[in-house]
Amino acid sequence: MSLFQVVPDHSQVNKQEIILSIRDLSVEYQTRRGVLSAIDTLSLDLYKGEVLGLVGESGSGKSTLGKAIMRMIPSPGRITKGQLIFKNQDLMAYDENQMRDVRGKQISMIFQDPMTSLNPVQRIDNHIIEAIRVHEPNISKDEALSRSESLMERLGIGRRRLKEYPHQLSGGMRQRVMIGLALALKANIIIADEATTSLDVIVEAQFLDLLRELKDEFGLTILLVTHNIGIVAELADRVAVMYAGRLAEVANVDELFHNPKHPYTQGLLRSVPNIAMDSQDLYRMDGTPPNLVMPPSGCRFHPRCPHVMDICHQKQPWLVRVDEIGEGDEQVGGYDKHLASCWLHQEYQGATQARRY
Amino acid sequence: MELTFGTICGGGLLIIGLFLLYAILTGSRSLRNYVITRLLLVVPMIWVLVTLVFVMMRILPGDPISTRLKPGTDQATLERLRERAGLDRPIHEQYWDYLTDIVRGDLGVSNNVELDRPVTEIIGRRFPATIELVIPSIILMLLFGISSGALSANRHKSTMDYAFRITSVIAYAVPIFWLGLMLQIVFAREFNILPVAQRINPGYVNEFEHRTNFYLIDTLLAGHWKAFGDVLKHLILPTITLTVALVGVFIRLTRSNMVEILQEDYVTASRARGVPERKVVYFHALRNSFIPIMTLIGLQVAVLLAGAVLTETTFSWDGLGKLLRDGIALRDYPVVQGAVVVFAITVGVMSTLTDILYAFIDPRIRF
């Protein structure tokens, strides 16, 4: 399966140092029809210097996870349990003021639509000055500006452009401004939430190139939230696949694309159109993503799964290691480990017949 | 230069004129065209209005002479008085004279014997009273309307939000004259802490020079502190009445705009950069919700002046609104026409002004 040209670059990744550890995180939304479980007991580690692609369909909870890391879940949603361990501290224990120091300065976020992510009545330089001065109130406006000028130059935003308003800039430029805002504060982690979705393909390619360069230059750790498998193949070191608020599979990008273990990942990869492929061959996954107010019992993917078994209706599978070293080993974590949560790949009690393919 | 109503008006118009000139000279070509077109449009607007008023006043039964004299006055006297006022001439002649007079800046002489003064002079005396009532009302209305709208939006769906929303609907629905009467009953009659009506205690009227006819300014210039305090006291109830009548729309508009803007991506983005919540709400969001509020201010000037007519009538406030109302009752053609012209110019200039300010607040707007 060589649909994608995968060029992972592990040179910058520190496989030992976990910069952010999400542990048993649950996010729920109080809705009129009941409690919507947007993220259910999710654990994921982010290693320093890596690009982790977070993929899934719309409504799988991937954007919610990005917001949850910033503790910016909009009401009526809230984080009901879990920990966010960042630099040995639990962000969940932080108060709003401490959290504000983290936002932007430690963890930064780039949003989907650069057209609407900048305040239309503020000039670009005012955005930069504000961002810097929020975190370093003693710096003068001129100082803040002169500090960011070379950075913006590096991003291809000339000095004159800084005096302009957002609507005078192109989409690609605005997205570069957003990156600049993140870099100006020297954030360690950048959460890119569908950051290229609204850009056209050429600008998108340029933007991805830039992101790759910046990652090495600034030693960034990037959480790339996207539904675009192609972007993940191009930029990510590792991939986490989300389905209905849970992780389906986590693996490094090579492994995931060539040896997907979870039926959902398999379907997802087969449903990506390819130019060399006859359009008849394009796989279409049956069914729709589940209603998360009343999620399916057991494995949330079971109503759509081609390999569904009895146990899938009853019990939720754990995220376990599925690579050669120890199949069925109930251990989460490790940079190079291939993890999946599927009954096809783990021991379970009470099952007498497991269909294997 | 002596400080009079004339010089104040002239100064105000000069500032507005300089601002418009600035907009014309520095603005883009399209802004320039827009400003010039808007200003030129004020002329036909006033023409249509004065024509309408001219026709309507003459459609109303009765004329200035018969409404003033006792029933049963003999026909000959009526005819003689009509002739003296020029009311016996063909209507198209009267209309033509009226228009040419306006162009020359002559608004005629009141038909009312008690007034019997040139309309321009009467307006010079009455318009300051209206301005003195309207400006504090606008300030209060904006302060209260925008702040409570913003608060309401910030605490979206809270008890306070509902309270403000209900208050705004009630404020919007309450008739001005009824509210005025209620305030008079409560504060003037029951508690007896504020004066019932009028601009000033009649005892003070002759104790200072009426240079500008803004009593607040005149009493200050004369250094008559007691009279100044008295004028302030007289201002309270009418100002509240006029403010309440208009504040509802502003609360609602600010609230709905803010609720929408607080969900915009750039608000989320600035939160994600660690910008404090207060700054997010009251700087980023509020400034952006000013844009539609600006438009509304321009539109509400007309409503405000209409409200001033009712407020002034309720509180026997000797302003232009009451003059207009009394003029209609007495079929005092020149006075009504004159007052309408002044109102029309005010509305025309103010709405042009707000439209141009709009372009200054929002860099995206290009005319």
Side-chain angles (χ1 to χ4, degrees):
Chain A
M1 210 164 135
S2 56
L3 284 176
F4 310 99
Q5 200 200 340
V6 179
V7 260
D9 173 17
H10 299 284
S11 58
Q12 293 282 321
V13 186
N14 185 337
K15 295 180 185 178
Q16 306 304 319
E17 193 181 341
I18 295 172
I19 191 165
L20 177 78
S21 179
I22 303 161
R23 298 207 185 283
D24 300 328
L25 191 80
S26 290
V27 175
E28 290 179 351
Y29 283 89
Q30 209 70 45
T31 70
R32 211 173 294 190
R33 281 164 296 163
V35 177
L36 186 151
S37 147
I39 294 179
D40 181 33
T41 330
L42 184 146
S43 297
L44 184 64
D45 292 333
L46 201 56
Y47 289 82
K48 190 171 169 46
E50 76 166 332
V51 177
L52 176 62
L54 187 63
V55 293
E57 295 164 284
S58 315
S60 61
K62 56 188 195 303
S63 281
T64 306
L65 183 62
K67 289 198 185 86
I69 294 171
M70 305 283 275
R71 285 198 35 212
M72 281 177 51
I73 301 287
S75 160
R78 66 189 189 88
I79 300 174
T80 47
K81 69 176 167 66
Q83 289 172 305
L84 293 164
I85 312 290
F86 174 71
K87 292 183 173 173
N88 296 322
Q89 303 250 17
D90 184 6
L91 294 183
M92 291 306 296
Y94 278 23
D95 65 22
E96 190 55 26
N97 273 333
Q98 289 171 301
M99 213 42 226
R100 266 214 333 268
D101 283 340
V102 173
R103 289 185 198 128
K105 201 169 165 66
Q106 313 279 353
I107 308 178
S108 209
M109 205 160 176
I110 306 172
F111 293 89
Q112 180 165 10
D113 193 352
M115 297 296 169
T116 57
S117 302
L118 292 162
N119 187 338
V121 305
Q122 294 289 335
R123 292 199 315 243
I124 303 300
D125 54 356
N126 285 336
H127 281 89
I128 300 171
I129 292 168
E130 184 198 54
I132 293 180
R133 298 224 309 168
V134 160
H135 295 284
E136 291 164 67
N138 298 325
I139 280 188
S140 78
K141 288 187 179 183
D142 289 337
E143 233 176 297
L145 199 58
S146 64
R147 216 173 68 181
S148 53
E149 254 171 14
S150 58
L151 171 68
M152 295 315 269
E153 201 87 48
R154 163 77 185 80
L155 297 175
I157 316 283
R159 189 170 305 194
R160 256 187 336 165
R161 288 296 204 172
L162 295 181
K163 294 279 170 218
E164 291 186 358
Y165 289 95
H167 71 274
Q168 291 165 295
L169 270 55
S170 69
M173 278 187 122
R174 279 187 244 186
Q175 201 58 299
R176 276 177 280 150
V177 168
M178 295 305 290
I179 289 259
L181 282 169
L183 296 180
L185 295 166
K186 305 189 176 67
N188 298 306
I189 301 180
I190 290 186
I191 300 170
D193 186 0
E194 303 275 8
T196 59
T197 305
S198 60
L199 303 176
D200 67 65
V201 274
I202 295 177
V203 178
E204 180 179 80
Q206 291 168 348
F207 183 77
L208 292 175
D209 280 343
L210 180 73
L211 211 57
R212 208 193 327 263
E213 286 170 34
L214 294 172
K215 186 195 78 171
D216 295 343
E217 231 172 284
F218 291 85
L220 300 171
T221 307
I222 300 175
L223 181 64
L224 196 68
V225 180
T226 183
H227 58 247
N228 189 333
I229 300 280
I231 290 176
V232 168
E234 212 172 310
L235 202 64
D237 302 311
R238 282 200 310 150
V239 191
V241 180
M242 273 190 88
Y243 184 80
R246 290 179 186 160
L247 281 177
E249 190 160 4
V250 183
N252 84 46
V253 72
D254 251 334
E255 175 82 7
L256 188 102
F257 280 112
H258 295 114
N259 189 17
K261 295 286 192 190
H262 197 287
Y264 175 65
T265 316
Q266 290 164 358
L268 199 66
L269 292 176
R270 279 167 62 202
S271 61
V272 176
N274 183 283
I275 196 106
M277 193 163 78
D278 193 337
S279 64
Q280 302 288 316
D281 295 342
L282 196 63
Y283 178 77
R284 194 175 59 82
M285 211 180 292
D286 287 328
T288 51
N291 170 6
L292 292 181
V293 175
M294 279 183 293
S297 59
C299 171
R300 288 183 174 180
F301 186 60
H302 84 250
R304 300 172 75 184
C305 185
H307 313 298
V308 62
M309 303 173 286
D310 288 343
I311 183 76
C312 304
H313 295 266
Q314 293 149 19
K315 270 186 82 177
Q316 176 190 344
W318 296 104
L319 193 65
V320 295
R321 285 185 54 183
V322 292
D323 43 10
E324 299 89 45
I325 312 156
E327 200 159 322
D329 176 6
E330 281 200 22
Q331 181 203 335
V332 180
Y335 181 80
D336 290 318
K337 311 279 160 58
H338 187 165
L339 309 171
S341 62
C342 179
W343 285 115
L344 293 174
H345 303 290
Q346 53 192 299
E347 312 290 343
Y348 56 93
Q349 290 182 331
T352 50
Q353 279 187 319
R355 283 187 293 151
R356 296 235 172 192
Y357 295 88
Chain B
M1 194 166 58
E2 209 190 338
L3 191 63
T4 63
F5 177 60
T7 53
I8 289 176
C9 267
L13 283 175
L14 193 71
I15 291 169
I16 293 171
L18 284 176
F19 174 72
L20 292 181
L21 204 66
Y22 169 75
I24 289 172
L25 292 179
T26 63
S28 62
R29 188 197 172 90
S30 50
L31 178 69
R32 187 158 59 224
N33 291 341
Y34 179 79
V35 174
I36 294 172
T37 320
R38 272 304 292 265
L39 289 177
L40 289 178
L41 274 174
V42 174
V43 177
M45 184 185 93
I46 290 171
W47 173 68
V48 170
L49 264 168
V50 293
T51 307
L52 262 176
V53 173
F54 184 89
V55 173
M56 282 195 314
M57 287 306 287
R58 278 152 184 86
I59 289 173
L60 280 178
D63 64 15
I65 312 300
S66 58
T67 47
R68 215 172 50 234
L69 297 181
K70 285 197 194 90
T73 312
D74 67 300
Q75 208 58 35
T77 319
L78 281 178
E79 288 306 325
R80 206 182 64 243
L81 285 168
R82 283 204 179 103
E83 207 178 307
R84 212 187 73 180
L87 294 171
D88 57 332
R89 292 161 59 223
I91 199 147
H92 63 271
E93 274 182 33
Q94 289 184 42
Y95 178 63
W96 180 248
D97 283 353
Y98 170 57
L99 280 189
T100 48
D101 280 352
I102 287 182
V103 174
R104 277 188 276 120
D106 178 6
L107 294 174
V109 177
S110 169
N111 293 145
N112 188 336
V113 222
E114 288 111 69
L115 290 165
D116 199 26
R117 309 287 314 166
V119 174
T120 40
E121 189 194 311
I122 302 171
I123 288 171
R125 218 168 45 232
R126 296 295 202 96
F127 198 33
T130 301
I131 298 174
E132 206 167 55
L133 171 67
V134 162
I135 286 180
S137 303
I138 292 182
I139 294 170
L140 267 184
M141 173 186 89
L142 289 181
L143 280 181
F144 188 71
I146 291 171
S147 57
S148 48
L151 262 166
S152 199
N154 195 19
R155 308 246 191 292
H156 189 35
K157 287 182 175 164
S158 67
T159 320
M160 190 177 67
D161 181 25
Y162 285 111
F164 273 127
R165 284 164 75 181
I166 293 166
T167 314
S168 66
V169 177
I170 293 173
Y172 186 63
V174 162
I176 292 183
F177 53 87
W178 181 85
L179 179 69
L181 283 172
M182 288 304 125
L183 289 175
Q184 283 171 333
I185 291 173
V186 173
F187 290 100
R189 209 190 64 188
E190 294 301 325
F191 295 129
N192 198 20
I193 45 173
L194 289 170
V196 182
Q198 301 203 326
R199 294 178 70 189
I200 191 166
N201 188 332
Y204 292 125
V205 170
N206 295 320
E207 290 183 9
F208 59 93
E209 194 190 348
H210 295 215
R211 285 156 86 177
T212 64
N213 280 310
F214 292 102
Y215 281 2
L216 284 177
I217 297 176
D218 287 339
T219 50
L220 265 186
L221 286 177
H224 197 319
W225 294 106
K226 271 185 131 172
F228 181 75
D230 187 62
V231 174
L232 272 184
K233 264 183 161 178
H234 278 83
L235 254 174
I236 294 172
L237 290 185
T239 308
I240 291 175
T241 309
L242 194 51
T243 305
V244 169
L246 292 158
V247 80
V249 192
F250 279 89
I251 298 180
R252 298 233 114 193
L253 186 79
T254 312
R255 182 190 168 276
S256 60
N257 273 312
M258 286 276 285
V259 167
E260 208 171 290
I261 285 171
L262 284 174
Q263 279 157 18
E264 291 275 355
D265 288 347
Y266 60 81
V267 171
T268 316
S270 57
R271 281 190 189 128
R273 283 195 291 273
V275 177
E277 187 64 17
R278 189 186 296 165
K279 205 178 170 201
V280 170
V281 174
Y282 295 103
F283 182 75
H284 285 283
L286 194 56
R287 170 143 179 215
N288 284 285
S289 52
F290 260 126
I291 294 162
I293 292 171
M294 205 67 212
T295 325
L296 188 71
I297 295 174
L299 292 172
Q300 287 292 99
V301 171
V303 183
L304 188 73
L305 293 175
V309 175
L310 290 171
T311 311
E312 287 177 7
T313 307
T314 311
F315 287 94
S316 305
W317 189 270
D318 278 327
L320 207 55
K322 183 161 169 288
L323 182 76
L324 181 65
R325 189 235 159 242
D326 295 345
I328 294 170
L330 293 171
R331 308 288 185 274
D332 193 343
Y333 298 161
V335 159
V336 173
Q337 288 154 357
V340 169
V341 169
V342 173
F343 278 158
I345 291 174
T346 312
V347 172
V349 170
M350 289 308 288
S351 59
T352 311
L353 210 59
T354 46
D355 267 6
I356 296 163
L357 281 175
Y358 192 74
F360 278 84
I361 295 185
D362 188 348
R364 288 166 299 180
I365 302 288
R366 288 290 170 266
F367 293 101

